[in-house]
Amino acid sequence: MRASFRLGRIAGVPVGVNWSVLVIFALIAWGLAANQFPRSYPDRSPVAYTLAGLAAAVVFFVGLLAHEVSHAIVAKRNGLEVGGITLWLFGGVAELKGEPRDPGAELRISGVGPLVSLLLGAFFGVIAALLALAGQGGLLFGVMAWLAGINVLLAVFNVLPAAPLDGGRLLRAAVWKATGDRTRASVVAARAGWVLGALLIGLGLWQFLSGVGFGGLWLALIGWFLIGAAGMEERQARTGSALRGIRVGEVMTPQPQTASAEMTVADFVDNYLFAYRHSALPLTEDGRPTGLVTLDRVRGVPADRRASTTLAEVACRADQLVLAQPGEQLNDLLPRLSECADGRALVVTDGRLVGIVSPSDISRAVQRGTLRTTPPAQPTPTAPH
């Protein structure tokens, strides 16, 4: 999930917000200000309800951010890089680069988020209790009580043993510890995520058809997201298993054809497009990569501008390139490839281009890895002669 705009950095980790956050923020603020608070605390002004709803929604998302920041901090302490934190429609996500080195690290990274949410719930619950003891059972009490309940609910939901929830990671850590097989543990957690998603879809549709309200559709939407995310996690786990031990240098296309950044798009189309069998062309200067041109980028240039447009103007810039070393594990490269819009990595040695890795190279490596890890078929027993 990509951020639509950045908020800055927390603990050295970039923090961003996807536009879809506005949807859930508006729903929460409106639901509280127009329904829950007026029903529970009548005779307040519309302005008071609006301010209370907005304040509760803002603090809720601050707590959600704290949940994800805790994941990022513990991940960094356990040797993982964190690409960023993004808040979006279904909550938040900390983008971890790589996998925990052992079940213990998985447990610590996954467990800290729900713990933070639970502590926040307890904190707001204590404030609500103190307000009640002081006889302040009004709108401020309602905001604190709602924040306490929603954070506890967030903690409980997240520890459900199903990927991609934190509880799914905890389940994976437990199965990994018990079996010693990370791939098997990932598949078990992903299948549990699929089951939970199917249950939520069924429950949501039943609620909607029973006339409970549109909340059932929201449950079904969450279930649909869980099924999709769980399926993706299972595919990634199987891909990672097939590629384990394979290095970038074993799958790259060595010494790819290159071009100058000063070449025009027209020259590229006339001299390279049909002669070059690959759909991406690295740009180099003195053997060092400076950019990457793909057919999709070239197609975006109108025909009447191709003669005056250089490849440098349409190429993926040097600071956007995904670079790798020949000796790097292919599994370590995959997360970075998924962040690149062009889906390719340039392989360098001492800063000089020596190869390129494309999606087709990855697919062939997966096929070879799958064949390598598949046990040979056993001969069919026959009756003795």
Side-chain angles (χ1 to χ4, degrees):
M1 178 54 59
R2 296 189 177 276
S4 301
F5 54 91
R6 294 291 180 185
L7 299 179
R9 288 177 175 268
I10 299 178
V13 178
V15 177
V17 176
N18 183 266
W19 66 268
S20 59
V21 161
L22 298 176
V23 176
I24 189 63
F25 180 87
L27 288 175
I28 290 174
W30 177 80
L32 293 174
N35 294 289
Q36 183 168 330
F37 288 160
R39 186 171 58 249
S40 302
Y41 310 98
D43 302 326
R44 304 297 198 277
S45 69
V47 173
Y49 293 135
T50 300
L51 291 177
L54 290 173
V58 168
V59 175
F60 167 70
F61 276 100
V62 171
L64 195 61
L65 181 59
H67 178 116
E68 297 301 333
V69 168
S70 68
H71 283 311
I73 291 174
V74 176
K76 291 176 69 175
R77 288 180 178 175
N78 282 271
L80 291 180
E81 293 184 28
V82 183
I85 294 171
T86 304
L87 300 181
W88 69 300
L89 181 65
F90 290 113
V93 58
E95 303 163 18
L96 307 185
K97 296 185 176 180
E99 291 281 352
R101 63 179 181 272
D102 54 51
E106 179 89 279
L107 178 67
R108 290 187 291 273
I109 295 169
S110 305
V112 69
L115 178 61
V116 166
S117 294
L118 188 61
L119 291 175
L120 285 172
F123 172 74
F124 290 118
V126 168
I127 294 178
L130 291 176
L131 288 172
L133 289 174
Q136 302 296 320
L139 197 53
L140 179 58
F141 167 82
V143 171
M144 293 300 151
W146 182 83
L147 287 170
I150 197 66
N151 277 284
V152 170
L153 181 63
L154 181 65
V156 171
F157 181 74
N158 268 281
V159 295
L160 293 177
L165 301 176
D166 294 330
R169 306 277 185 255
L170 296 174
L171 174 62
R172 185 171 78 158
V175 177
W176 185 4
K177 178 70 174 177
T179 65
D181 188 335
R182 184 198 307 224
T183 301
R184 180 180 176 184
S186 298
V187 171
V188 168
R191 297 280 175 86
W194 194 97
V195 171
L196 177 60
L199 289 175
L200 288 179
I201 289 175
L203 177 60
L205 292 178
W206 176 79
Q207 287 186 343
F208 177 72
L209 295 175
S210 299
V212 175
F214 285 95
L217 291 181
W218 182 250
L219 271 183
L221 187 60
I222 293 176
W224 171 80
F225 163 73
L226 287 178
I227 286 178
M232 182 180 296
E233 291 215 0
E234 181 172 349
R235 290 191 295 272
Q236 289 175 344
R238 295 190 183 280
T239 298
S241 177
L243 297 180
R244 189 167 297 138
I246 298 178
R247 300 186 181 276
V248 170
E250 299 176 47
V251 303
M252 72 179 187
T253 300
Q255 304 302 328
Q257 189 171 0
T258 64
S260 167
E262 302 306 316
M263 176 186 294
T264 66
V265 173
D267 287 340
F268 171 78
V269 172
D270 293 339
N271 302 312
Y272 282 81
L273 186 59
F274 297 105
Y276 189 53
R277 65 186 181 90
H278 298 287
S279 58
L281 185 70
L283 306 182
T284 59
E285 183 177 344
D286 296 328
R288 299 180 181 276
T290 60
L292 180 70
V293 170
T294 63
L295 294 184
D296 288 338
R297 290 177 178 266
V298 169
R299 290 191 190 102
V301 181
D304 59 346
R305 293 182 51 196
R306 291 176 179 175
S308 59
T309 303
T310 64
L311 294 183
E313 296 177 64
V314 299
C316 174
R317 302 191 311 271
D319 60 343
Q320 298 173 325
L321 295 174
V322 176
L323 302 179
Q325 300 287 332
E328 183 179 349
Q329 292 288 332
L330 193 55
N331 269 332
D332 294 336
L333 174 61
L334 289 183
R336 290 188 285 137
L337 270 182
S338 64
E339 298 169 3
C340 174
D342 295 296
R344 293 165 177 80
L346 300 183
V347 187
V348 296
T349 299
D350 297 327
R352 294 187 171 274
L353 182 70
V354 296
I356 185 172
V357 177
S358 68
S360 58
D361 295 324
I362 301 293
S363 297
R364 286 192 293 270
V366 170
Q367 292 173 359
R368 291 197 299 268
T370 302
L371 290 174
R372 181 190 62 190
T373 57
T374 301
Q378 298 297 319
T380 302
T382 58
H385 295 290

